[in-house]
Amino acid sequence: MEVLRKEEVYTIDDIYALPDGKRAELIDGKIYYMTPPSTRHQRLVHFFDREIGNYIQSKNGECEVFPAPFAVFLNEDDTNYVEPDISVICNKEKITDQGCNGAPDWIVEIVSPGNKPMDYFTKLFKYRTAGVREYWIVDPIKERVTVYGFEKETMEEYSFGEAVPVGIYEGFSIVVR
């Protein structure tokens, strides 16, 4: 008789029990450890945080922008916890002292060499099904921005240096350099 091995399902408690300095995300009960980001990665996170934050402020907008590390509890369960590079949240009721309960309106992920499958596949599916309205994948190696507009079921690609229109904000675009 063959015995099937049960795969362990992790929870948010396991994420909070990680040693100091160790970061991970949790998708459908599976832990994905995160490596420290590169300088270029952090420059891009800062760039997006500043560009989006300045735009929201200039329009007296209600949305808020949060750079990583910022906890996002995607579903109403304890087996999904992510830290997107940039989270834009327009519903203030989702924001707590712990992070965001539910899907942000717009997420930007900066690709690192070791996390490409995570950003392009695992998170793409998870963000779409969780209710994220717009998802940008920024690839500094390929100098490309892939934009998924989940509400309109669109996918567009842009090169660095091109104006990338923001779907959730009419008339706002960002030029990534």
Side-chain angles (χ1 to χ4, degrees), residues 58-72:
S58 75
K59 300 293 184 187
N60 294 315
E62 291 294 314
C63 302
E64 288 188 67
V65 59
F66 295 93
F70 179 74
V72 173

Side-chain angles (χ1 to χ4, degrees), residues 32-45:
Y32 297 88
Y33 291 97
M34 300 165 69
T35 58
S38 69
T39 300
R40 179 137 192 231
H41 181 279
Q42 288 305 94
R43 282 185 180 129
L44 283 165
V45 169

Side-chain angles (χ1 to χ4, degrees), residues 24 31 39 43 51 65 88 121 135 139 146 155 161 172 175:
I31 289 183
T39 300
R43 282 185 180 129
E51 290 287 309
V65 59
V88 178
F121 301 106
Y135 176 40
D139 190 328
T146 306
M155 190 276 283
F172 178 38
V175 177

Side-chain angles (χ1 to χ4, degrees), residues 22-80:
K22 192 82 163 158
R23 289 180 51 219
E25 294 179 306
L26 182 68
I27 296 181
D28 296 329
K30 184 172 180 183
I31 289 183
Y32 297 88
Y33 291 97
M34 300 165 69
T35 58
S38 69
T39 300
R40 179 137 192 231
H41 181 279
Q42 288 305 94
R43 282 185 180 129
L44 283 165
V45 169
H46 180 65
F47 167 79
F48 280 104
D49 182 32
R50 192 176 58 242
E51 290 287 309
I52 297 165
N54 288 345
Y55 177 81
I56 293 169
Q57 187 175 22
S58 75
K59 300 293 184 187
N60 294 315
E62 291 294 314
C63 302
E64 288 188 67
V65 59
F66 295 93
F70 179 74
V72 173
F73 306 94
L74 279 176
N75 302 58
E76 300 293 324
D77 61 30
D78 67 347
T79 59
N80 288 283

